Structures are given as C-alpha cells and as structure tokens.
Amino acid sequence: MCSPTVSTMRASRINLGWLGLTVVSLLAGVSTAQTVVPPSQTALITYLEEMSAYIAELNLPSNSLSNQTRHFTRDGGTDHIFVNGNLARVVLATYRLQAKFGNGGNETLLNVGLGWCDTLVSLQAPIEAAGQEPAGYWGVGYPVPSNCSLPLRGWCAHAGSIYFGDTGTAVTTLALCHNMSKDARQRELYVDAMSRFGQFVLGGSTAAPVEKKGVVAGFVDPNGAVGCGYYACSSRTSEDCEKIPGPSGYNCPSRSPYTIATGTTGGAFFGELFGITQSERHGQVATNSIDYLKSVTLDSGEIPYILDGANCSTAECSGILPSVGGPWPYDTMSYATEGIAAVALRFPDRRESLIRQWKPSVDFLLRTQNSDGYWGKLGGSDLMRSPRCLTLLSWWLSAVETKSYHDIPTRDAVSRYLNYVTTRGSGAYGIMSNTITTGMAGLAIADAVAFGVTYSSASFNPPQ
C-alpha cells in the first residue's frame, strides 16, 4: 500500500459550524464577542490530514509501529493497542470529515483504519466466561515477553497485561470500524469481537488468561465502577495477589474500582456496544459508569485517579505504597471524557443530568488551562494523555449552546488550545513524534471540528 502524501488528502470544503466565525453571546443580557479567534475549519481539517499522513506511514495496520519512514518516540511503544487504536480513530475521523465537508474521503485512510481493526480482531484471545458463554480478551501489547519478537502474535500477544483502561480505548475503535465498513462479514467480525470482550468484562472467565492467575465472575461493580482487569493487586484490597495460588509474579483479577477503565471500558466501550446491540444491560453499564465517576469527583471538579484501593488526586496523594502513580488529573479527565462523550451521544435524554453532573469539571478545566492553551506540563505522562480534556469542552458547547446563547469562556478555551496545537503542537508538545499525544490530540481536534465524529454516530456517515 502506498503511503499518501499530504497533498492527495486535501479537498476543498465549505466552512461550517462555529469554528472560524465571530460569534456574539447573550450572557446575563450582555452581548459579548468571542475574544479568541479559532483556526478555521478548513485549517483544522488540513492539520488532521497532515497528522493522518504521518500515521499512515507508521505501519499501523500491523499493530506494530515501524519508524523506518517516520520517527516516533518510545513513549507509546510499538504494539500498544490503546495507542494504535487512537491512531486508527484519528485517520478514520479524518476520512469522515473529508467526506462530510469536502469532496470525498481519502480511501487510503479508510483502509489504514479498517486494516488496524482487522488485526485487532485477529489478536483477541478466546476464553470461556463464568457462565460458559464465549468471551475474549486482549493483552495490551506490553510488557513484551522475553522470548517474543515483534510484531506480537498468538501467545506473545495474549501474554501481555490485561488492563481495561487500555483495552476499552482500543475496542471502542471497533465500533467506529463497524460503522464505516461496507463489508458485511467484516462488520460481523467486529461485532463478535466486541461482544466477546463485553462478555469477559461482565462474566469473567472459568480459567485464568495466559500468564495470569485467579478467576472472577465479572469486573463490573454494582456501583457502576469497572475494575482494572488483571493487576499486581496489593494488600490494600481483598484482591491481594499474594493470596492467590500461582506464581508470585503473575497478575491477578482486580475488580476494585479503576477510574480510567470505568471511563474507557464502562462508559465509552459499553456505550458504543449499546449503540450496536441495543442491549439494556450494555446501556446500564455505560450510564452507571458515568454516575460512578461523578460520585467520586471532587468539589473542585477534578476526578481522582483510583486504582487498587488507592485514591490519588492533586488534593491528596501522599504515602500511597505501593505506588499506583499519579496524581494524573488531566490523564484521568481525558479518559473519563471518553465515556461521558459516548453516553452523551447514545443517551440524549440524559443531556440535562450530564450538564448538571459535569459543569464543575468543565469549570476545573477552564481554571487550570495554561496561557498557551493546553493542560499539564510539557514532557510529562499526564500531558501526553491530556488532550481529550478538550473534548469535554466540545461536548459542553454542543450541550448548552443555543442560537441565542454562546458560552464565550468555553469557546475561548477551545480556541486557545486549537491555536496552540496547530501552530506549535509539533514541537515539545509531541504531535507527530509522540504517538500517545498524536492520537489523543487528533481525537480532540476532530471532535472540536464536529463533536461525535470519533464515535460511531451514524450522522457522520459519508454519502453512499
């Protein structure tokens, strides 16, 4: 497959939406003009095309990135399914934007995205759920077993860590591929893989996965939280791996709440799966996950990083041993946003309750955005995963704005970020060098152009 050039991806398009327009709001009866002018829609889609051209040269369909053509840093690894799933969503969303606002999408982008989904399906490990239903899981692509080489396949892929924070991100991409594929058999395989993973999350397994120990009958708590998957659980909870029979170095089931997995697997994945199956159970998992996240959100609007019984936020994160990392306020907000956005798109009747629930978090992002327009500190792990914070603001604008009311502070915050990434994002920020940041930022930019385009919403389907 030939790699596309930037010039072949560009298409003429009209300028739609609020981007690029001077808007007037009626706040408390006073007309206020938007103070930060955003890049035009055309400029943003062109930038996404440049990002997609970069992604298309990384051998993405293999799920084992290669830097023989284009350089990337080591932060996102090569076979990490959450990183590569985000990259696939970026190229697919770019295709959709081209098709909707231009003269048609570049088929190379569609093929790259669908090719990655095909590989992800082939990497799923089959397993039997506790109720004997067929289920499946994925190793996340790290750590790489010492006796394995890249690309990871078969046992080498299945032996990786099972982290639902990562897997939820990757498998959500399958919903987008299902929406965009025109091949009935391909669509069937995507749904089957999603359904098997959903069964594993809901029903656990009758035997331990590869290189793991212990079994459970599901990872979803009645309170709405989703567990980590398989983790090196400590004595902070009753899931202490030292008490589980088997090799001491093996991870064991972690059902205790994990805020990242609750956002990505609970909210985003099950929200997208509900869109396909219309299963009441799938819908309940999605909405309950978002309610759980709200229940643990601080008064400041920050969502704490909760894992293995530890609760870590910028307000309090000292003396937690063994460490679970953190605080990662923007990382956590980004992954929670994945779920919030999916539920907002799939459950429009929850619009008012979501507005009430997440206004403090919107305010938190407005307060803590730096003068350049991004969140976090350059070079930090929190920053790499922070760009999806922007999508909470994009959702907010879609939820609260009317013809006569425009939220100028939020619009300005969105514009400030978009101006930064399109002019300086390829520098220290990491776009088109750090694959984690590239994927997260691409998703954020795409949903700022047209909220929902990175999800399987049928309204963005190109004309047939």
Side-chain angles (χ1 to χ4, degrees):
M1 181 183 299
C2 295
S3 297
T5 63
V6 173
S7 61
T8 63
M9 293 186 177
R10 292 176 178 164
S12 61
R13 44 186 131 341
I14 58 176
N15 197 26
L16 301 174
W18 68 272
L19 291 165
L21 301 179
T22 300
V23 297
V24 175
S25 68
L26 298 175
L27 297 175
V30 178
S31 297
T32 307
Q34 185 173 348
T35 60
V36 182
V37 179
S40 70
Q41 185 185 77
T42 298
L44 291 172
I45 295 177
T46 297
Y47 191 65
L48 284 168
E49 289 169 339
E50 294 175 4
M51 294 176 68
S52 294
Y54 170 81
I55 293 168
E57 294 182 352
L58 297 179
N59 196 33
L60 180 63
S62 71
N63 192 54
S64 190
L65 303 184
S66 169
N67 62 3
Q68 293 180 351
T69 304
R70 300 294 293 270
H71 168 74
F72 59 89
T73 65
R74 296 181 178 181
D75 300 283
T78 58
D79 293 47
H80 296 190
I81 62 173
F82 90 91
V83 176
N84 299 344
N86 281 342
L87 296 177
R89 278 172 82 185
V90 171
V91 299
L92 291 170
T94 301
Y95 175 89
R96 291 177 113 190
L97 292 172
Q98 290 175 326
K100 187 175 181 70
F101 299 134
N103 294 330
N106 183 288
E107 292 295 318
T108 296
L109 299 187
L110 179 62
N111 292 334
V112 167
L114 295 179
W116 180 82
C117 282
D118 291 343
T119 298
L120 184 68
V121 168
S122 74
L123 295 176
Q124 187 178 49
I127 200 166
E128 185 180 79
Q132 297 187 324
E133 304 89 348
Y137 69 91
W138 282 272
V140 296
Y142 63 89
V144 176
S146 59
N147 59 336
C148 294
S149 58
L150 304 179
L152 298 177
R153 297 291 186 264
W155 183 93
C156 292
H158 302 162
S161 296
I162 301 174
Y163 295 153
F164 293 157
D166 290 30
T167 313
T169 297
V171 186
T172 295
T173 308
L174 288 182
L176 186 56
C177 286
H178 173 266
N179 176 273
M180 297 177 68
S181 172
K182 300 175 184 177
D183 184 290
R185 177 55 180 162
Q186 192 176 42
R187 288 164 55 87
E188 181 182 338
L189 290 171
Y190 295 156
V191 174
D192 182 65
M194 293 177 69
S195 298
R196 286 173 179 268
F197 176 64
Q199 190 59 56
F200 180 64
V201 176
L202 292 172
S205 61
T206 56
V210 173
E211 299 291 286
K212 310 296 183 293
K213 63 180 181 179
V215 298
V216 290
F219 296 87
V220 179
D221 193 277
N223 69 4
V226 176
C228 176
Y230 276 74
Y231 186 71
C233 300
S234 70
S235 59
R236 276 190 294 261
T237 74
S238 60
E239 299 165 341
D240 186 356
C241 285
E242 291 299 319
K243 297 178 181 179
I244 305 296
S248 61
Y250 279 17
N251 286 357
C252 66
S254 176
R255 293 187 72 255
S256 61
Y258 183 29
T259 42
I260 305 299
T262 302
T264 63
T265 289
F269 166 71
F270 276 100
E272 291 287 75
L273 186 59
F274 168 78
I276 297 171
T277 67
Q278 294 298 299
S279 161
E280 182 179 354
R281 177 65 172 129
H282 295 157
Q284 286 177 340
V285 174
T287 55
N288 290 349
S289 292
I290 301 310
D291 290 342
Y292 167 78
L293 289 173
K294 176 55 187 174
S295 74
V296 299
T297 299
L298 306 181
D299 291 342
S300 66
E302 179 184 349
I303 304 171
Y305 184 80
I306 298 174
L307 171 63
D308 187 38
N311 186 315
C312 188
S313 70
T314 55
E316 184 176 1
C317 192
S318 59
I320 296 179
L321 293 173
S323 173
V324 294
W328 287 318
Y330 304 118
D331 168 311
T332 308
M333 187 72 73
S334 277
Y335 289 124
T337 294
E338 278 275 279
I340 295 166
V343 167
L345 289 163
R346 289 298 176 187
F347 301 89
D349 59 318
R350 288 179 60 98
R351 172 181 166 273
E352 291 186 5
S353 64
L354 288 171
I355 289 172
R356 288 193 300 271
Q357 284 179 319
W358 298 107
K359 185 181 186 303
S361 295
V362 170
D363 291 341
F364 171 77
L365 293 178
L366 297 183
R367 286 195 312 272
T368 60
Q369 184 185 41
N370 66 32
S371 59
D372 283 326
Y374 58 87
W375 292 271
K377 297 180 180 180
L378 293 175
S381 296
D382 194 37
L383 178 135
M384 294 176 198
R385 297 157 176 82
S386 69
R388 212 53 164 140
C389 290
L390 186 81
T391 303
L392 188 68
L393 304 186
S394 297
W395 159 72
W396 177 260
L397 292 174
S398 77
V400 305
E401 291 201 328
T402 66
K403 291 182 179 180
S404 60
Y405 171 74
H406 300 293
D407 185 338
I408 299 305
T410 303
R411 286 191 175 211
D412 281 349
V414 172
S415 299
R416 201 172 290 117
Y417 178 85
L418 295 175
N419 284 329
Y420 175 81
V421 294
T422 54
T423 58
R424 298 163 60 188
S426 60
Y429 191 73
I431 293 177
M432 290 181 278
S433 59
N434 182 303
T435 52
I436 299 175
T437 305
T438 300
M440 298 291 275
L443 296 175
I445 295 167
D447 275 319
V449 174
F451 175 68
V453 73
T454 68
Y455 294 85
S456 61
S457 172
S459 63
F460 289 100
N461 284 346
Q464 300 296 317

